[in-house]
Amino acid sequence: VNFNMAGLYRIESTMFVKWLRKNLCNADAFSDSNNAAAMASAFGKVIDKIDNQRVDCENLGKELYDNASASSSSSISTEQRQRYLREVVRLSTRLSDQLHSMRNLQEMLIVPSISQVVSASEQKSFNNKVLLALGLLESRVHLVGMHD
């Protein structure tokens, strides 16, 4: 929730959402369709939903981290620790549900659309920009995590 998610949130909020909007919220991307404007508008709504869920996940992650940290304090009572831990479980479930929903939207709608609309070279170029933005340490951590 701390290091890995912070890098992910930073990339999504500063780069990925903008890139998605540039590529999927432009009617020109769907020029071969009679409903190009409607498709671009629909993708805008999907991207808004994903972005709102990302913000919710970021806030849940911070709250989860705070509760997990508080539960490990040596200066709290057993009852307080149990309350913190119950909250950790509740927040973990909510975070998991949100992330699952985001992943489903991206796998069902975003990934197939990007593969149809954006050239492989443009996708690779964006991936390289992400790796540069992450820096050496963070990009290595994320690449190893994705490989596993």
Side-chain angles (χ1 to χ4, degrees):
V1 172
N2 197 5
F3 175 77
N4 286 336
M5 296 300 276
L8 176 65
Y9 295 144
R10 188 179 75 252
I11 293 300
E12 284 185 344
S13 66
T14 61
M15 297 177 73
F16 186 60
V17 171
K18 291 174 186 172
W19 186 79
L20 286 177
R21 288 191 194 287
K22 180 183 107 185
N23 288 288
L24 295 178
C25 297
N26 180 352
D28 292 339
F30 306 101
S31 59
D32 61 341
S33 171
N34 294 336
N35 301 320
M39 290 176 69
S41 175
F43 273 109
K45 291 174 184 169
V46 170
I47 294 166
D48 287 344
K49 181 171 178 67
I50 290 170
D51 197 32
N52 289 336
Q53 288 177 320
R54 180 198 53 78
V55 170
D56 290 344
C57 286
E58 188 172 6
N59 293 332
L60 283 170
K62 288 175 184 173
E63 196 176 345
L64 176 61
Y65 182 82
D66 292 344
N67 276 276
S69 295
S71 73
S72 65
S73 172
S74 60
S75 63
I76 61 171
S77 68
T78 301
E79 294 80 22
Q80 288 172 313
R81 187 176 324 283
Q82 288 173 340
R83 273 196 302 275
Y84 283 124
L85 292 174
R86 279 192 295 274
E87 188 65 5
V88 165
V89 169
R90 187 186 72 77
L91 292 167
S92 295
T93 301
R94 283 188 56 206
L95 181 60
S96 176
D97 291 346
Q98 280 280 51
L99 291 170
H100 182 72
S101 174
M102 287 174 68
R103 188 181 87 201
N104 283 341
L105 279 174
Q106 290 182 23
E107 286 180 354
M108 291 182 336
L109 298 172
I110 302 297
V111 171
S113 301
I114 287 293
S115 71
Q116 292 296 311
V117 173
V118 181
S119 70
S121 62
E122 169 63 22
Q123 292 176 47
K124 187 172 183 168
S125 172
F126 178 72
N127 288 343
N128 288 333
K129 290 175 187 174
V130 168
L131 292 175
L132 285 171
L134 284 170
L136 183 61
L137 175 61
E138 266 189 305
S139 62
R140 290 182 70 183
V141 168
H142 287 286
L143 288 171
V144 169
M146 286 186 280
H147 180 267
D148 290 342

